């Protein structure tokens, strides 16, 4: 049985005749102690505080029967580990089509540092933030404290908390949606269109951070902690 926050992804599972439902990882509508095993892949790094990330792990453990196991994957800060680049970094030199699809970000720096002449797809958003800085009633330091860097896809991370651009290919932007747009490269005028770019929050984990969070819970035991292609991974056992 699968679950996801995205109704569209759950609908795809249904079309493929898999069992899935929409839910929040902080409150899964499944009876406590009813699962032999649980898997959480690329979920916990989207929660914005250490307390919420820990609560998600605790909720995962709640579902397990005694002796049950859980596998957790989160994005690693260390995309180059033991002198080996992750697949994420290696794919930067891949096909041109993949580059067009994935490399939609600007340089990883605070949005407030991006000037109005920036020609990237993030310029509209950064202009809006810069206009806010001109308001004398807002302290510049206060505004700057809330600025997250925007990551450049297929590059190393320079901050643990950041925004990653997600280019929605072929999406239809509604008038009321407040999202950036980007001109999709293409060989013909017909293939060029404005598509929305969403900025997704990530907290990338440093070595030992996920394991330490898991060990802080009395109800589980860490069976294994390891690195896998740019991810930190933990296997837990319910006590």
């Amino acid at each position: 049985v699968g679950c996801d926050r995205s109704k569209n992804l759950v609908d795809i599972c249904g079309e493929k005749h898999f069992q899935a439902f929409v839910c929040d990882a902080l409150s899964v509508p499944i009876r406590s102690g009813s699962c032999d095993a649980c898997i959480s892949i690329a979920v916990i790094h989207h929660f914005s505080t250490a307390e919420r990330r820990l609560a998600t792990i605790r909720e995962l453990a709640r579902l397990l029967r005694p002796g049950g196991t859980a596998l957790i994957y989160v994005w690693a800060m260390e995309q180059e580990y033991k002198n080996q680049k992750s697949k994420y970094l290696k794919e930067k030199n891949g096909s041109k089509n993949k580059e067009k699809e994935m490399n939609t970000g600007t340089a990883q720096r605070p949005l407030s540092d991006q000037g109005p002449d920036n020609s990237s797809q993030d310029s509209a958003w950064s202009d809006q933030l810069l206009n806010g800085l001109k308001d004398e009633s807002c302290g510049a330091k206060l505004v700057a404290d809330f600025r997250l860097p925007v990551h450049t896809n297929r590059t190393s991370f320079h901050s643990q908390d950041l925004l990653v651009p997600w280019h929605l290919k072929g999406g239809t932007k509604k008038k009321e949606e407040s999202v950036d747009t980007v001109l999709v490269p293409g060989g013909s005028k017909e293939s060029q269109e404005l598509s929305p770019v969403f900025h997704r929050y990530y907290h990338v984990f440093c070595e030992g951070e996920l394991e330490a969070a898991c060990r802080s819970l009395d109800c589980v035991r860490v069976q294994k902690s390891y690195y896998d292609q740019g991810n930190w991974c933990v296997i837990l056992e319910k006590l």
Side-chain angles (χ1 to χ4, degrees):
V1 178
C3 57
D4 199 281
R5 184 65 181 83
S6 167
K7 181 181 182 298
N8 289 340
L9 291 178
V10 169
D11 287 345
I12 292 172
C13 290
E15 292 168 2
K16 297 179 180 293
H17 307 293
F18 295 118
Q19 297 184 68
F21 60 91
V22 175
C23 82
D24 187 330
L26 287 169
S27 181
V28 181
I30 293 179
R31 178 167 49 87
S32 298
S34 61
C35 299
D36 295 314
C38 295
I39 299 174
S40 173
I41 305 294
V43 173
I44 295 175
H45 56 217
H46 287 299
F47 287 94
S48 60
T49 66
E51 291 79 11
R52 287 166 67 82
R53 293 189 286 272
L54 183 61
T56 312
I57 301 171
R58 186 182 292 110
E59 178 69 356
L60 197 67
R62 179 188 68 80
L63 305 176
L64 293 172
R65 62 164 175 78
T69 55
L71 171 65
I72 301 173
Y73 264 61
V74 294
W75 218 351
M77 177 81 170
E78 301 85 354
Q79 288 298 306
E80 189 166 345
Y81 187 67
K82 294 183 177 179
N83 299 320
Q84 293 289 325
K85 288 186 177 181
S86 68
K87 184 179 179 183
Y88 174 74
L89 293 183
K90 288 179 180 178
E91 286 187 355
K92 183 178 182 181
N93 299 321
S95 66
K96 291 183 178 179
N97 289 335
K98 182 170 290 187
E99 188 73 13
K100 288 177 182 177
E101 179 181 352
M102 297 303 299
N103 191 15
T104 60
T106 61
Q108 187 170 311
R109 59 180 183 268
L111 286 171
S112 54
D113 290 346
Q114 298 178 19
D117 294 329
N118 192 324
S119 60
S120 75
Q121 61 269 29
D122 294 303
S123 60
W125 193 15
S126 60
D127 287 351
Q128 184 179 354
L129 294 175
L130 285 167
N131 289 334
L133 285 173
K134 296 176 183 177
D135 186 352
E136 292 181 358
S137 65
C138 296
K141 184 177 186 303
L142 178 64
V143 173
D145 285 345
F146 287 92
R147 296 295 171 257
L148 289 174
V150 178
H151 178 62
T152 299
N153 282 310
R154 308 298 170 187
T155 65
S156 297
F157 297 116
H158 303 293
S159 172
Q160 278 194 270
D161 297 281
L162 42 83
L163 299 174
V164 177
W166 180 265
H167 177 201
L168 186 63
K169 296 194 67 178
T172 302
K173 178 177 176 289
K174 298 179 181 179
K175 289 183 179 179
E176 63 271 18
E177 284 184 329
S178 178
V179 295
D180 297 339
T181 57
V182 57
L183 187 64
V184 179
S188 63
K189 291 182 179 179
E190 289 77 13
S191 65
Q192 292 186 354
E193 60 179 5
L194 287 175
S195 298
V197 175
F198 296 88
H199 293 80
R200 302 198 301 175
Y201 170 83
Y202 281 80
H203 172 84
V204 290
F205 282 68
C206 288
E207 182 173 8
E209 184 178 354
L210 176 62
E211 182 178 352
C214 294
R215 291 190 185 280
S216 71
L217 299 177
D218 295 333
C219 57
V220 295
R221 178 177 68 87
V222 175
Q223 282 189 342
K224 187 178 181 182
S225 178
Y226 61 98
Y227 179 90
D228 179 31
Q229 285 295 336
N231 299 282
W232 287 115
C233 321
V234 165
I235 298 177
L236 302 176
E237 180 185 1
K238 178 71 172 288
L239 299 176

